[in-house]
Amino acid sequence: GDSVTQMEGPVTLSEEAFLTINCTYTATGYPSLFWYVQYPGEGLQLLLKATKADDKGSNKGFEATYRKETTSFHLEKGSVQVSDSAVYFCALNSGTYKYIFGTGTRLKVLA
Amino acid sequence: EADIYQTPRYLVIGTGKKITLECSQTMGHDKMYWYQQDPGMELHLIHYSYGVNSTEKGDLSSESTVSRIRTEHFPLTLESARPSHTSQYLCASSEGGGRTYEQYFGPGTRLTVT
């Protein structure tokens, strides 16, 4: 079945550092890929998405590229801020009712 | 901005009580979902609905039940709460029609059963 694997956290960075959170997937067909962010005490919010190979999703300085050849969708940001501290989830949907989520990666950014 | 609401946000209740967690969305989405989120953050699908009068159990076995009498409303009920039900419950919705649609999440209900 479909699955998503994310790097384990927590990830601790200093402000203005470069961020990469790795995400790889297995899926039949051509899934859409998503990154969600969850701030403390809140639900998940869509951060960005990509619906086909080589698409790049971007939002709020974050970006991720759908790489079919490596089955990856790594999240990157050039310069993180304290306000980026949150839990990040990679997810996919292959066209069924079901969204497959990774286990989440906690990011802590220190001032 | 997503218009999906959950009430209450926090609930502390004693063992054996019946509770209903409310979820409403104003986007007209056909698909709605309930997830249980454990302290390790992982999301577990416990119920979903394709539309009115359509509900299915998810991957994680749950003693809760759901109903979908109106498109916008998807309440979750526990007939007899137990400490093992203590968790964060997240409601979500999405447009029907295919893999490109994202889910919209409510703010969650944090349930504590004492």
Side-chain angles (χ1 to χ4, degrees), chain B residues 30-49:
Chain B
D30 286 326
K31 294 180 184 171
M32 295 191 75
Y33 307 77
W34 276 103
Y35 292 90
Q36 189 171 333
Q37 185 173 29
D38 61 29
M41 306 175 298
E42 194 164 353
L43 294 164
H44 302 283
L45 180 67
I46 51 175
H47 297 283
Y48 64 97
S49 168

Side-chain angles (χ1 to χ4, degrees), chain B residues 5 12 22 35 41 44 49 64 67 73 77 79 83 100 107:
Chain B
Y5 309 99
V12 180
E22 301 288 348
Y35 292 90
M41 306 175 298
H44 302 283
S49 168
S64 59
S67 62
H73 195 214
T77 298
E79 290 292 333
T100 62

Side-chain angles (χ1 to χ4, degrees), chain A residues 25-88:
Chain A
Y25 68 91
T26 56
T28 53
Y30 303 95
S32 290
L33 301 172
F34 307 87
W35 276 103
Y36 287 86
V37 59
Q38 185 176 30
Y39 297 104
E42 297 183 13
L44 279 69
Q45 303 173 25
L46 179 71
L47 184 57
L48 53 85
K49 71 178 185 182
T51 59
K52 62 183 189 297
D54 300 325
D55 267 2
K56 179 187 282 189
S58 61
N59 185 26
K60 299 182 183 178
F62 291 90
E63 57 182 38
T65 301
Y66 188 145
R67 301 281 187 205
K68 191 169 185 299
E69 63 276 13
T70 54
T71 61
S72 64
F73 192 55
H74 305 320
L75 182 68
E76 296 182 334
K77 187 176 185 184
S79 177
V80 293
Q81 306 300 312
V82 172
S83 57
D84 294 327
S85 298
V87 179
Y88 293 82

Side-chain angles (χ1 to χ4, degrees), chain B residues 8-15 17 19 109-114:
Chain B
R9 292 292 312 277
Y10 303 92
L11 180 61
V12 180
I13 201 159
T15 297
K17 300 290 187 184
I19 58 169
T109 295
R110 182 163 296 283
L111 172 65
T112 303
V113 183
T114 61

